Amino acid sequence: DAAEYFGENFAHRLRWAHAVNSLRVLRQALCSNAHFVEADVSAGTLMEEKQDPASESPKNAATAETSVATSSKIPIIMAHYPTQRSSDLSFELFVAAVLKHNAQVDGDGLDSLENTADAPLEAPTATEVPTEAPTEAEAEAEASPKRSPFSEPVLHQEQEEPLVRS
């Protein structure tokens, strides 16, 4: 179970980062001792990160872009609807940052996590995402129980024919 996986004796000792719906809170969560991250996914306005804390109004922030959006081109963001209708954190960046963090925690760069609470979050580049079959050593390391089950992205295969309901 999850408690055993994380070295805890009881499930009630597992720690959660709640309402991780902004870049600031995501940075804090990834630098904390939380085992799990809880966030809300919504459609709304994606704002650029606020540089001036005095500028609380979304009207003062510029809009940002993401490639993940609804069919009507509304960005998919991390926000608790209906109380939040805009965010500086896109779903796309949230997933990329968590996957990158998990890979680092699994031993691919623990030193780079130090002092990152104020560092900018970026999606992994094409060179950071493996596209070739793993070597024998990589396959063995992946099978190790130390790896987080949340580190690897789920890749969906495209269907040859679109599903059409009559």
Side-chain angles (χ1 to χ4, degrees), residues 2-17:
E4 184 178 318
Y5 177 84
F6 287 109
E8 297 291 347
N9 293 327
F10 304 100
H12 74 274
R13 303 211 39 157
L14 294 172
R15 291 171 297 279
W16 289 79

Side-chain angles (χ1 to χ4, degrees), residues 95-155:
V95 171
V98 170
L99 289 175
K100 186 173 182 177
H101 169 78
N102 286 352
Q104 290 172 329
V105 170
D106 288 338
D108 297 334
L110 287 175
D111 296 336
S112 65
L113 289 178
E114 295 178 13
N115 302 319
T116 58
D118 295 322
L121 295 172
E122 297 175 0
T125 63
T127 59
E128 294 173 328
V129 179
T131 56
E132 299 175 5
T135 65
E136 186 176 325
E138 290 171 336
E140 185 177 314
E142 190 169 317
S144 169
K146 294 180 182 179
R147 291 199 55 88
S148 168
F150 309 107
S151 294
E152 300 299 323
V154 177
L155 301 176

Side-chain angles (χ1 to χ4, degrees), residues 50-93:
K50 295 180 183 99
Q51 301 300 323
D52 180 10
S55 173
E56 290 297 322
S57 171
K59 295 175 188 172
N60 294 338
T63 58
E65 294 183 19
T66 181
S67 62
V68 180
T70 65
S71 59
S72 57
K73 309 291 186 226
I74 300 171
I76 303 299
I77 60 171
M78 306 310 293
H80 183 76
Y81 183 85
T83 56
Q84 295 174 325
R85 296 178 185 230
S86 65
S87 176
D88 63 355
L89 180 58
S90 69
F91 176 72
E92 179 179 26
L93 180 57

